[in-house]
Amino acid sequence: QKEVEQNSGPLSVPEGAIASLNCTYSDRGSQSFFWYRQYSGKSPELIMFIYSNGDKEDGRFTAQLNKASQYVSLLIRDSQPSDSATYLCAVSKAAGNKLTFGGGTRVLVKP
Amino acid sequence: DAGITQSPRHKVTETGTPVTLRCHQTENHRYMYWYRQDPGHGLRLIHYSYGVKDTDKGEVSDGYSVSRSKTEDFLLTLESATSSQTSVYFCAISASNNSNSNQPQHFGDGTRLSIL
């Protein structure tokens, strides 16, 4: 079992719709959770981070964390073609803040 | 954008040659990291540093060494490059410290390394 798992996709979403991405992790000691966006040929770019159970909203993005069920999700509202990218979930146990990444979910937003 | 510069951006070299990649930051952050990204494996941590001369291994450290003689520079060295080390290498920095260890990491633009 991989430590951090994501559906590789592609997740195809009509423009204006909500994209829902999920990530599960195996280590219950995980404390910090991050979502990165990566365009093809570019570096990962931080979108959201969440530390506590519940929802955290930032613009069109909402991160949801459920530590009991060991999953973290990312919602993208009013999806735009520019949101087409690979979204990486990353998890840290805090010590050294070392990140373990999932394989990423490719999102395609179609006009 | 976080002040992170990776050099070189692209490099092609031959098996058996030494290679050094440089990561330079202007943020004065304590933590610096080296990752590699490969299809089917995602991003994997190679080594990281939590201060000058303080480094530790990551998930895929075999065949790599690092050095950090100044806060701003973190070097990754492949002593004798192999074709399996062909990859895209990313440096990351974090403002984490002893009292707040969960700060996000920010990534440089990457180095595309090809070993023939």
Side-chain angles (χ1 to χ4, degrees):
Chain A
Q1 179 189 11
K2 292 184 178 180
E3 290 190 46
V4 181
E5 296 208 51
Q6 297 180 253
N7 188 317
S8 61
L11 175 65
S12 185
V13 179
E15 183 175 359
I18 295 175
S20 178
L21 292 73
N22 294 315
C23 171
T24 59
Y25 60 95
S26 60
D27 192 331
R28 285 195 173 275
S30 301
Q31 297 186 15
S32 307
F33 307 86
F34 305 87
W35 283 100
Y36 288 84
R37 177 176 63 197
Q38 187 175 26
Y39 293 112
S40 180
K42 301 296 185 182
S43 62
E45 173 192 10
L46 180 70
I47 297 177
M48 296 280 294
F49 58 92
I50 186 167
Y51 304 146
S52 304
N53 279 327
D55 295 359
K56 179 181 179 182
E57 186 175 317
D58 184 359
R60 295 187 296 112
F61 299 99
T62 299
Q64 299 173 319
L65 175 61
N66 184 323
K67 289 187 177 181
S69 300
Q70 294 177 245
Y71 81 79
V72 56
S73 62
L74 179 71
L75 301 178
I76 308 173
R77 290 183 300 280
D78 189 23
S79 295
Q80 301 297 309
S82 60
D83 294 326
S84 296
T86 297
Y87 290 80
L88 304 172
C89 172
V91 173
S92 169
K93 291 196 290 184
N97 201 23
K98 294 178 288 184
L99 292 180
T100 300
F101 283 85
T105 298
R106 185 176 168 217
V107 173
L108 295 175
V109 181
K110 297 186 175 181
Chain B
D1 290 343
I4 310 169
T5 303
Q6 291 187 233
S7 58
R9 293 294 315 280
H10 303 272
K11 186 173 182 66
V12 180
T13 190
E14 294 183 347
T15 300
T17 60
V19 177
T20 295
L21 308 183
R22 180 186 184 227
C23 179
H24 178 80
Q25 61 143 331
T26 59
E27 305 296 321
N28 200 36
H29 285 347
R30 178 180 174 189
Y31 281 83
M32 299 184 75
Y33 309 80
W34 277 107
Y35 293 87
R36 60 178 290 175
Q37 187 172 36
D38 305 287
H41 292 279
L43 274 159
R44 293 178 292 174
L45 180 66
I46 305 172
H47 282 279
Y48 71 103
S49 170
Y50 47 96
V52 173
K53 299 190 188 301
D54 291 323
T55 65
D56 204 351
K57 296 179 180 180
E59 178 187 356
V60 289
S61 59
D62 287 348
Y64 301 95
S65 62
V66 290
S67 66
R68 191 164 178 205
S69 59
K70 299 184 291 185
T71 297
E72 57 265 37
D73 288 327
F74 192 31
L75 304 181
L76 177 71
T77 297
L78 292 65
E79 300 289 350
S80 178
T82 67
S83 59
S84 64
Q85 293 175 311
T86 292
S87 186
V88 179
Y89 291 85
F90 289 103
C91 172
I93 65 174
S94 166
S96 293
N97 53 47
N98 289 339
S99 59
N100 187 353
S101 57
N102 292 333
Q103 292 301 298
Q105 294 182 23
H106 297 276
F107 286 78
D109 290 337
T111 294
R112 188 171 297 274
L113 178 62
S114 296
I115 301 166
L116 307 178

